[in-house]
Amino acid sequence: MSKVPLQFRHNGRDVAIFVDGGTNLLVALRELIGDMTPKFGCGQGGCGTCSVLIDGELHLSCLTLAETVGGRSIETLDGMKQGPNLHPLQRAFADHFAAQCGYCTPGMLMAAKALLDRNPSPSRDEVIEAISGNICRCTGYEPIINAILAAAGGRVSA
Amino acid sequence: MPVTVKTFASASEAAGALSSDRTARYLGGGTLVMRALNEGDVSISTVVRAQDQALTRIDASGPRITLGAGVTFARVLAERDLGFLHAPARSIGGPAVRNMGTVGGNLFAPTPYGDFTVALLALDATVAVQGGFGARDIPIEEFLQARERQAGTLVLSVSCTRPASSEAFCYRKIARIKPKGGSVITLAAHLPISGGRIAGARIALGSMAPTQIRARAAERALEGRSLDAATIAAAASAAAEGTSPFDNALGSAWYRREIVGVHLRRLLSGQE
Amino acid sequence: MTRHRGRGIASINYPIGMNLGGDPSQALVHSNPSGKFTVALSSIDLGQGMKSVTRQICAETLGVPVEDVYVDTADSDTGPHCMGSFASRGTHRVGNAVMAAAREARGVMMEAAAEELEVNAADLDTDGRGNIHVKGAPHRSISTKDVAIAAQFKQGKTISGRGIFLVPLSEVNPETGEMSPATCYAHACLVAEVDVDDETGEVAMVRMDSAYELGRALNPRLVEQQLVGGAWMGVSHALYETTEPDYPEPAHGPRDFVEYLMPGPGDICPHDIAVLERPAPDGPFGAKGPGEMCANPVLPAVANAIFNAVGVRIDDLPITPEKVLRAIKAQGGARPQARR
Amino acid sequence: MLELRKDIFADERDDNLNEIGKGTQRQDMLGHVTGTSSYFNDHKLQGMLHLKVVRSTQAHARIRRIDTAEAERSAGVRRIIRGTDVPVNLNTLLSLINFGKDDEPSLAVDKVRYKGEPIVAIVADSEREAFEAVAKVKVDYEPLAAVFDVEDALKPGAPVVNETYPKNTFTYHETYDHQKLRFGDADAALATADHVLEQRYQMSPIEHAPTETNGAIAAPDTNGRYVVYTSTQALFFSVDTCAKILDMPSNTFHFIGGTVGGGFGGKVDTLTEPLAILGAMLTGRPVRYVFGREEEMQYGPPRGAERIYIKDGVMRDGRVVARKIRCYFDSGAYTRLSSYAAVKCAAHLPGPYTIPNVYGDVYCVFTNRTPATAMRGFGVTAMDFAIECQMDKLAHLVNMDPMEFRILNAYRDGDMKAHRREAKNTALIECVQVAAEKAKWPLREEFKRASSRKDGGGSRAVIPPTPADSSRARPTAPAQQRTSYDRLPPTVTREPPREPPPPAPPPPSPRPGAPAHGATRFSSVFGRRR
């Protein structure tokens, strides 16, 4: 049995775990760290429910070999709140009723954050492009697009 | 048994590990190998990685550009000097996949994937590979024809000559889903113009055969001619010639044959 | 001219509540001594908003603010029987069960308040803001919190209620099909506008206009979620989805979200919706159920719009570019119909 | 964009309400946007094992031998479960309401009936080890001819898919191979119609594609109980199905769910809970069984495909006078819920229109395909597609505006529906009018003035004389009414002795809603009653 030690930053906090060879980052986050916000949707790279930020870049945690993130900084939805307050994107998603079953929401929010962190005033087409790797089966995407545009424009409830 | 991960400092060591172990697969961006592991592909027991800086190098300063095999599509998109490759890079996956997927991995992606490789084929790229017995350069066409036998080799980089002008190269992926969808067909055309005539036409197609192929009949229809409506029409009607499309979940062979000429015509004449 | 625009319509109705009845749902409602209510169910929130809509039904029936109600579902140790959330049962069956439970709990709450205010319970009313007052004399009032405290610690009453909603099982005559399949029906009409490319067979949605009649929009935002998302699914069914592209031949089945086709965020179109409310006599506050039926009119409306655009009828779903192109070729080219 | 048309039917509503009608925020929204909504798989249990199944590579085959020897020796394997380990390895979902016969094993034993059917379950320490063991199970198949087309399956000599139903059709009322609807004399009306149009329509099988796949985690709990975290959209359906398959009292199980990542009908079938619990029972450890995406797409049940034939008679003035429908539900290899959808479909005929002569035959057909199940609009979506395409064609045929054509034929309050109940609370006409307004689609004045509340009933309320089928099947004696809640003790025979069949009842023509005293009546759910 050879478990590999692994240290990285998880939502601003240093964590250290031991992983089996071949373990993906989604399993490491959920089962070893206990952060249940990234979800398993396909394991194939097709749905985006497991999306996280690695050093600020959007990645699919299910396709990331856990041991490749040593020393890097991982952000998940669990770290999105700003202290006790919701992030503007979270407020905008709520305002726009942009979640139904809620299962795609963590990935959508991370994809949206990756966009707004780089491009604070995206066009509608840029928003569409930013969430194009994330499947939502409930909403028809329209409220999600509107929520991200509203967050970018500062049009969110207090 | 858990998978064994072997990480090497140099590409040549990684290539050695890869060629000596039939259960080993090289981990690039993860979009192919990690998916296979997640889905229970037990033929993979060893994952080989290399942390060789050369694999992630981009050389885009001169007329001939070189992309390390580990260069991601997001990095291609971030490189202003690689503007001619932005359309193919943007057509891959969503943003997360573009942050992960690599130029080298795309060479191995089965249909309906492998769109970037269509562009590289039209650009007559060269693939640098490292086998158990050293490095060598292979024309991309040859590489693709023998792709199944390349499993034990490691791709180091791809290189190609920059198109003479931005008009000389065009690319389009036909997908059912927007903005991100699997390829029904993918088209790339490199049509250098010399003295008002096309010289050295290369048209590459994805999803028109088991691997990316050239549309040689369409190339012949273009070669030596000016790019006018009649020439484009002739190339469009020859587009399916020599191809061997297949049925899959995204479309049938019949449909692919029917539309490849339409889309080639639209691509070459700049229509939506 | 290779792209042609067309419009098509469809109108439908949909039976609400599990086919044929005979399958009730239950609900329990109780208050804690602070006057905060919990609804216990065994129904499922799959995204349709079960927890939220039953919460509003409960609050309205009790006469308390929605913030004073929390819906807890689905724990088989604490939730009363519910077969499941399917067949448009949620709003109609579970909603009615919650209403019944809340009515019973309200009865106890009003009795307890009457005892405190020393009046007859029939003379009391709730203000919906957490107070109970004597009708016509709002100053003679008591908060639901004080009522709950009194009920618990002084009067020894449980402010709680049980509810069940049963539509009796209908029999089916095997010779004639005579039966009572449902007690109420929702309705819809939808106009779809499309562009059809006559060289590739590709269909692009341009817009949709619709009217849905739902009995009562218990929560218009939840209704909008269902209708917008449901119409998207209707487009998806009409143009994209199949697990067997060569049905009935079982080949080339999609294995992932690249091969299984659903419209992406770049494929959606504006959808202008009107909601009509003709209350169902047995619906909770007249409500029917919007969740299931909303996709149904889209499929035929899209097919009919394609005919209007290029003159071909595709009667096999999904209407893929290939089927459209084959049909256009078979009739010798696009034949646009009268513009609508 | 959503507009509430409060002006329409305002006289039928009391809008003076506090909470109802408000766009109140969802109770679960805060949980959703913070990622704290707890789905079945968000429970981390100590020492959890992983379950994977070996699936059939064949669409139809006899199983000669299952060799698990190598898999049993594979690293990390805790338990191999075969069909013989399942206490009651034959079930049908609707047996809970005593509808249909048990026809589906949890794990195939002697035969597989669709590609992907589970044969062996492996419980191992890790997913990887479970996958490795799955690859080591050898199944020796004797391939059988398979049938994939619903109409081929009904031809003489077609392969028998499921021996429980040897004619490849579900059996209604223990006698009938389909559900009928008879209202008026469709053949006579077709003979005198100005135009007759017969068309074929085909629905596709559709994947629910919830972003969360089907799954369950079962764990031994205190006092001999099992806690089960589940993605089910049918809580007590799942509890009672597990109780039956595992032959345990239902209160042995503590099911926890209610927050589910999309369902759309695809999480009704209780696909993962029985094996997860059985795994936990046999190993004494928590066991997780969750579908991969390919499993969900290919072997999770789809919306069944229906093939529909419609033959309509229409007059030059636009009145549809007859509608005759034949519909085949593709149930796949097992019944699941398609039998039920077929009845719902029959009741839906002829759509929201008042047509004086309606004739329907709806079949639930077995093929060697992944079993179908419920999906959003179950039993109706495909029929609406067929009917509404047909309505468009009929309007075209008689050269009428398709909106006006629908208003002309729409059902109205007081009309008699084909399933012999009065239409009430109808609103189709108003929906057409408002949709036309929204879409700026011109309607003539008389159609703008039409109302669901006017001009219905009267002669439209009458049940027309309905000829009996000449070759009427004779119903048999009633099955004893039983549900899972009043199950007979196991010592009592499950098949009560049969009485000789009574004579067929005369074609009933009761007043709408009137009790049919003395008539023999049937229920598709609970069998026959008096």
Side-chain angles (χ1 to χ4, degrees), chain C residues 16-17 88-96 165 167 183-184 282-284 287:
Chain C
I16 298 303
S88 290
R89 302 177 78 258
T91 294
H92 194 261
R93 297 292 200 271
V94 184
N96 268 315
F165 186 69
V167 172
T183 58
C184 61
D282 70 342

Side-chain angles (χ1 to χ4, degrees), chain C residues 7 9-14 18-19 42 44-47 49 51-52 55-56 60 65-66 70-71 73-77 81-86 169 171-181 185 187 189 191 209 211 213 216-222 225-226 230 233 237 241-244 247-248 250 253-257 260 271-280 288 291-292 294 296 300 304 307 313 315-318 337 340, chain D residues 1-3 5-6 9 12-15 17-24 26-28 148-149 173 176 179-182 199-207 225 232-237 253-260 262 264 293-294 297-298 303 305 330 340 343-344 347-348 352-353 369 376-377 381 385 388-389 392-393 396 402-403 406 411 413 417 419 421 425-428 431 434 438-439 441 453 472 485 521-523 526 529:
Chain C
R7 292 212 291 181
I9 85 145
S11 61
I12 60 132
N13 69 343
Y14 194 78
M18 183 142 162
N19 189 30
S42 293
I44 310 294
D45 203 318
L46 320 151
K51 295 169 186 170
S52 309
R55 185 182 183 210
Q56 278 174 268
E60 182 74 46
V66 76
Y70 194 83
V71 177
T73 194
D75 181 320
S76 67
D77 276 7
H81 191 278
C82 176
M83 203 66 130
S85 296
F86 46 79
L169 178 72
E171 300 167 352
V172 179
N173 185 310
E175 294 294 337
T176 64
E178 176 174 1
M179 62 177 124
S180 297
Y185 293 80
H187 302 88
C189 178
V191 183
D209 291 282
E213 187 280 312
R216 165 119 37 202
L218 296 173
N219 179 327
R221 301 298 300 272
L222 293 179
Q225 285 195 314
Q226 288 302 305
M233 189 178 275
H237 283 15
E241 290 186 55
T242 177
T243 59
E244 294 177 80
Y247 184 90
R255 298 159 296 181
D256 61 27
F257 282 117
Y260 192 78
H271 182 188
D272 201 355
I273 302 168
V275 165
L276 282 60
E277 301 171 300
R278 187 175 192 196
K288 302 170 183 176
E292 271 202 287
C294 47
N296 291 355
N304 295 338
F307 172 75
R313 296 282 188 189
D315 296 332
D316 284 20
L317 290 171
Q337 306 294 302
R340 292 185 178 123
Chain D
M1 201 167 62
L2 184 136
E3 175 198 16
R5 288 295 300 267
K6 290 281 183 189
F9 301 120
E12 295 190 29
R13 275 195 324 272
D14 172 12
D15 287 340
L17 299 165
N18 288 318
E19 300 293 350
I20 293 300
K22 277 193 191 160
T24 306
R26 296 173 64 109
Q27 180 181 294
D28 51 9
F148 296 108
D149 183 278
H173 313 280
Y176 299 82
Q179 179 64 54
K180 299 179 188 193
L181 185 78
R182 301 286 185 270
Q199 298 280 288
R200 173 192 189 271
Y201 299 92
Q202 178 67 55
M203 185 68 184
S204 46
I206 285 174
E207 158 62 16
R225 297 181 82 213
T232 186
Q233 64 181 92
L235 195 76
F236 275 92
F237 226 123
F253 308 128
H254 180 189
F255 272 51
I256 297 171
T259 300
V260 174
F264 312 105
R293 181 53 64 180
E294 184 176 349
M297 282 193 175
Q298 284 297 303
R303 179 200 284 285
D330 186 343
Y340 210 61
V343 179
K344 185 175 172 189
H348 190 62
Y353 305 105
R369 203 183 292 287
R376 196 178 206 170
T381 302
F385 171 71
E388 288 303 301
C389 288
D392 206 61
K393 294 174 190 177
H396 195 73
M403 289 261 194
R406 283 172 174 82
Y411 75 157
D413 289 0
K417 297 168 79 177
H419 58 83
R421 294 292 179 269
N425 188 237
T426 62
L428 192 77
C431 282
V434 172
K438 280 247 171 243
W441 185 302
R453 301 193 282 191
R472 174 178 297 169
Y485 304 105
R521 313 281 272 177
F522 297 84
S523 158
F526 283 93
R529 282 178 177 173

Side-chain angles (χ1 to χ4, degrees), chain D residues 197-248:
Chain D
L197 180 70
E198 182 167 15
Q199 298 280 288
R200 173 192 189 271
Y201 299 92
Q202 178 67 55
M203 185 68 184
S204 46
I206 285 174
E207 158 62 16
H208 307 81
T211 45
E212 173 202 61
T213 58
N214 270 278
I217 299 172
D221 204 351
T222 49
N223 304 315
R225 297 181 82 213
Y226 292 87
V227 64
V228 183
Y229 300 99
T230 163
S231 69
T232 186
Q233 64 181 92
L235 195 76
F236 275 92
F237 226 123
S238 293
V239 170
D240 292 327
T241 295
C242 290
K244 177 181 170 188
I245 289 173
L246 301 171
D247 197 19
M248 305 271 277

Side-chain angles (χ1 to χ4, degrees), chain D residues 285-340:
Chain D
R285 297 270 295 274
V287 172
R288 180 172 72 188
Y289 177 20
V290 55
F291 278 9
R293 181 53 64 180
E294 184 176 349
E295 277 183 301
E296 181 80 31
M297 282 193 175
Q298 284 297 303
Y299 311 125
R303 179 200 284 285
E306 292 102 306
R307 181 166 304 154
I308 296 167
Y309 293 89
I310 305 186
K311 189 176 185 181
D312 284 342
V314 63
M315 306 309 281
R316 283 185 203 94
D317 62 10
R319 285 176 298 120
V320 184
V321 292
R323 174 159 288 170
K324 208 169 169 179
I325 290 187
R326 221 165 3 114
C327 174
Y328 304 94
F329 275 72
D330 186 343
S331 184
Y334 298 105
T335 307
R336 304 273 175 98
L337 306 164
S338 297
S339 53
Y340 210 61

Side-chain angles (χ1 to χ4, degrees), chain A residues 83-121:
Chain A
N85 301 318
L86 294 181
H87 185 281
L89 272 166
Q90 292 174 309
R91 296 210 299 278
F93 267 58
D95 289 351
H96 286 78
F97 281 63
Q100 287 185 33
C101 82
Y103 201 79
C104 78
T105 310
M108 284 286 181
L109 281 165
M110 296 320 288
K113 183 165 192 294
L115 171 70
L116 297 193
D117 284 352
R118 267 148 216 267
N119 178 1
S121 317

